[in-house]
Every structure is written in C-alpha cells, then in structure tokens.
Amino acid sequence: MKTQFEVGIIGGGIIGQSIAYQLAKEGVSVLILESNKIGNGATSAAAGMLGANSELENNDAFFQFAKESQQHYHVLRDELSQISQINIQFVDKGMYKLAMTDAEASALKDVVKYHESVEWHSKEVVLESEPTLSATIKGALYIPEDGHVSPYHVCAAFSKSARLLGATILENTPVHEIKKTVTNEYTLSTPVTDFVCKNIVIANGVWSGHFFKKLGLDAGINPVKGECLSIKSNDIGLEKTIFYDHCYIVPKGDGRFVIGATMVEDDWSTVPTIGGIQSLIEKVTPIIPSISSAQLIDTWAGLRPQPIDGKPYIGQHPEGENIYFATGHYRNGILLAPKTGLMIRDLILNRKQNEDYVKAFSVNRLQVQTM
Ligand code: FAD
C-alpha cells in the first residue's frame, strides 16, 4: 500500500472530496482518509440548496465567494459528468421566498431595491407558476440564481473523478493523530497504518475541533443539528424551491420533496425527533395545505459544523505550517464546496489568491494558544 503523499486530507465529505478532485486534476498525489463512508456526515443530510442570495445578506467577501461557488456548479455539472458519468442533479429553476403577511411583503419588496438579481412576484404571478401554494400568500421574492443539487451525487462525482485522476480514497480509516516528522512532513496515524504527507488538510466537518485543539488553536466549532423529511405526492407539483420562515421545500428530480430543516444547537445526536419533524410539518401546512395527504418517505438528521462567527475556515495554519483548514461550512457547505476546493488547491500550489477571501476565512481570526 502506498503510504507517502503530497497532500493528505482528513475527512471524505463534500469539502474533502472537492479539494481532492481539484488537486488530482493538477497531477498532485492526494490521499483522503475517511473514518466512515464517503459523504456519510453532514453532506448526505443536506437538502442541496445553493442559496447564495437567500442565505447571505451582506454584500461582502463571503457573499462574493458564495456567488462564485454557485456559478462554478455550471462548470462542474459538465466536467464531473464527463469524467465520472455521475449526474449531480443540478436544477437551476430558482427559489421563491414567500411573504404570508403584508409586513413580510413590504420587507421583501425592499430587498429588490438593493439586490439586482432578485424580483418581486405578485401573488397572482406566483400562483400561476406554483398553483400548489396556498391562496393566502401575499407574493414572493423570486431568486432565479438559487438552484439546488443532490449533495450525495456531487460528493460521489467528486470522489469518483478524483479517484480516476489518481487520488487514493480510503473509507473506514479514521485519523487518530497528526505528528510532525523530522523532515517537516506529517504522519497521519490510522488503525490501518501511518501515512506520511507533505501537506495536510483538516476537512472533517463538525469533528474538526479536535484537530484544531491538537494543533494549538481554538476553533470553537459547534454542532447544530438539522432534521429533515422527504415526501412524495401527486397533489404537489412545485417547480421552484419554496422558502418561508427558516423552512424550505426542495422539489427533487426523482419526484420527492425534501422539507427542512430544524436548528438545534449543541446537539450531537443524529436521530430525528418527533417534535422536530412535527415542527416542520406545522410550518409547511399553511403554505401547502395539500401536504397532509402526501406520503412520508423518510426522516433524517445531520450536524452542521458551526464556527463562532458563522464563516468557514479556509486557509493555512497561522504559523505557516503546511497544514490547511477547510471546515466550519455550517449551513452552506454544499454551496461553498466548489470554491473551497479551488481555494485550497491554489493555497497548496502557492498560486495567487484573492486577498479578501484569505482574510475573511483566515484561521488567524482565532487566537493562537500553543504550537
Ligand atoms: P461532512 O460531510 O460532515 O464530512 C466530514 C467527514 O469527516 C465525515 O464523513 C466524517 O466521517 C469524517 N471524519 C470525521 N472525523 C474523522 C477522522 N478523525 N478521520 C477521518 N475522517 C473523519 N448546505 C448547503 O449548502 N445547502 C443546503 O441545502 C444544506 N442543507 C443542510 C441541511 C441539513 C439538515 C444539514 C445538517 C446541513 C445542511 N447543509 C447545507 C450544510 C452542509 O451539509 C455542510 O456544511 C457540509 O456537508 C459540510 O461538509 P463537510 O465535508 O465539511 O462535512
């Protein structure tokens, strides 16, 4: 078994796979170590919304990064399908953010004044294209750029493409320890064997706090549990994603609708609760009254990796070690995966960076404790 690599990535979720794909494309020898199955963490729990405009409110570096990442899905759709033959199920029919009261309608109409890529649609226009919605709506903000993908398929497509381009991806191989060698490389200890890598990337989502601490940093990544359900119904015929009051309904290509998601802070359990699922059904019923006759297909829960300030850590160790962090993507890891892969690739290959992004996602915003 090969045990020496240029880059070793800890974590085989969508973030680790995106980085591995971009590096393998450049001919870099790359290893992913995944403690469980590829994409088994937060990645498979996600609804797959690419909500750059609906999730982020400030026109700052984070928003620009998210928009570029969203745009890059147009490239990846074709690229990944050509290499891996996997369809990432990219749907770009946009999103409706609903107003159910006059006050909400007026607040959403205001957004149109300073946000060029959104439009206000009256109740009549909304109901003409989405007749399943309740006639009590007041209208909606139409966000054409916020589509969705299948997170599971994106992760599988990155992974298969990276493998075909030469990456080594090992499942059921948890990294227990990172040690620096005398030649300034890093040993990643696993129950299988030790791997030696010139560069390492911490990309193990909500579990990465452990390595931050071991490397002398205090990341404060906390779990925010999210519960979802999926339904099927011949009476519901949505085209666009529907968003209202932190709740969304995403129409998937296979006829399912994914409804999510709760936000439970500091909860490490990945079992959905009756209360959580009930709260989602209660939120959706006034929007789509016909939901009560839908078939319940599945329920699940996953853990969002939430950093202290809500922004991901994408950057190098503050003391210039060849240790990189790509974690803490919180509610938007699926949206941000393409651009995260490109940015970590460029950092490792010493390519020119957008300084605004380097600053915004820097691990330097943490206090260095020891090394
Ligand atoms: P993960 O997918 O959790 O991957 C980390 C991997 O590291 C895991 O597979 C784990 O097994 C592995 N690992 C852990 N420890 C070790 C170790 N010591 N050694 C080796 N491997 C290890 N984002 C969006 O953009 N759009 C959405 O619509 C959306 N909806 C969401 C809905 C829910 C309910 C949830 C929970 C999240 C949602 N997200 C969404 C957020 C998104 O899922 C995450 O931000 C993203 O999946 C994080 O990816 P990741 O690769 O960092 O983490």
Side-chain angles (χ1 to χ4, degrees):
M1 180 193 271
K2 183 175 165 179
T3 56
Q4 302 256 349
F5 294 86
E6 294 270 327
V7 180
I9 301 171
I10 305 173
I14 195 165
I15 299 298
Q17 300 295 344
S18 169
I19 298 164
Y21 169 67
Q22 294 299 346
L23 286 168
K25 240 176 96 182
E26 299 289 325
V28 175
S29 81
V30 55
L31 164 74
I32 290 197
L33 297 169
E34 163 55 47
S35 59
N36 202 296
K37 295 269 171 236
I38 293 308
N40 217 49
T43 297
S44 359
M49 282 183 304
L50 307 177
N53 300 286
S54 46
E55 282 275 322
L56 307 174
E57 281 165 4
N58 302 326
N59 188 3
D60 55 6
F62 190 12
F63 178 64
Q64 289 310 323
F65 186 86
K67 292 267 276 190
E68 282 178 37
S69 201
Q70 186 187 54
Q71 278 304 310
H72 201 64
Y73 266 109
H74 291 269
V75 176
L76 288 173
R77 167 174 48 193
D78 302 335
E79 212 174 85
L80 293 176
S81 136
Q82 257 174 22
I83 304 174
S84 68
Q85 308 297 312
I86 295 173
N87 178 350
I88 64 169
Q89 301 181 17
F90 180 27
V91 176
D92 56 356
K93 293 188 176 154
M95 176 187 285
Y96 266 150
K97 205 169 193 174
L98 298 185
M100 300 296 286
T101 65
D102 289 334
E104 287 167 358
S106 138
L108 290 179
K109 280 180 193 166
D110 276 352
V111 177
V112 180
K113 291 181 196 152
Y114 57 85
H115 203 318
E116 60 190 23
S117 52
V118 301
E119 293 163 29
W120 171 255
H121 282 189
S122 68
K123 168 181 172 168
E124 291 69 30
V125 171
V126 175
L127 290 178
E128 202 179 310
S129 67
E130 303 290 5
T132 310
L133 293 175
S134 160
T136 60
I137 63 161
K138 300 286 178 188
L141 192 69
Y142 175 46
I143 310 173
E145 289 172 351
D146 287 6
H148 58 91
V149 289
S150 161
Y152 170 81
H153 288 91
V154 176
C155 190
F158 272 139
S159 180
K160 187 170 171 195
S161 302
R163 236 188 259 265
L164 289 169
L165 293 166
T168 301
I169 299 174
L170 300 177
E171 295 185 315
N172 303 312
T173 314
V175 175
H176 288 157
E177 217 182 336
I178 303 169
K179 271 195 199 139
K180 201 165 177 180
T181 68
V182 283
T183 52
N184 284 336
E185 295 178 315
Y186 301 93
T187 302
L188 300 179
S189 303
T190 77
V192 180
T193 185
D194 283 357
F195 297 91
V196 178
C197 305
K198 285 191 183 141
N199 304 273
I200 55 168
V201 185
I202 315 292
N204 59 330
V206 73
W207 299 274
S208 54
H210 167 76
F211 290 118
F212 273 89
K213 274 207 186 100
K214 290 265 173 200
L215 294 163
L217 302 164
D218 182 11
I221 291 188
N222 295 312
V224 178
K225 177 179 175 180
E227 294 149 297
C228 291
L229 65 147
S230 64
I231 59 162
K232 267 193 175 174
S233 170
N234 292 334
D235 300 331
I236 303 175
L238 298 172
E239 282 263 306
K240 300 175 190 65
T241 298
I242 306 298
F243 193 95
Y244 181 68
D245 187 20
H246 305 290
C247 178
Y248 48 75
I249 305 124
V250 187
K252 292 292 176 184
D254 57 5
R256 284 177 317 130
F257 297 92
V258 171
I259 300 174
T262 60
M263 298 274 287
V264 190
E265 305 226 342
D266 273 325
D267 187 342
W268 284 96
S269 140
T270 51
V271 180
T273 61
I274 298 285
I277 298 303
Q278 188 180 6
S279 72
L280 293 170
I281 296 171
E282 280 169 6
K283 275 190 178 180
V284 174
T285 306
I287 304 169
I288 305 175
S290 53
I291 191 184
S292 56
S293 61
Q295 269 179 279
L296 177 64
I297 304 297
D298 199 3
T299 61
W300 64 90
L303 304 177
R304 305 175 184 91
Q306 182 198 36
I308 291 164
D309 59 1
K311 280 189 284 186
Y313 298 113
I314 311 170
Q316 194 169 7
H317 190 285
E319 293 188 358
E321 301 275 331
N322 290 333
I323 301 173
Y324 298 84
F325 295 87
T327 184
H329 290 73
Y330 191 33
R331 294 167 58 96
N332 292 300
I334 310 306
L335 166 67
L336 302 173
K339 193 67 189 159
T340 302
L342 294 169
M343 184 164 165
I344 292 288
R345 174 201 70 186
D346 291 348
L347 281 168
I348 290 177
L349 297 181
N350 238 330
R351 291 181 181 163
K352 197 170 154 16
Q353 291 291 320
N354 179 326
E355 282 307 315
D356 290 343
Y357 298 161
V358 172
K359 250 190 243 154
F361 308 126
S362 159
V363 185
N364 277 323
R365 62 187 203 263
L366 305 169
Q367 202 190 339
V368 179
Q369 294 171 334
T370 53
M371 186 54 206

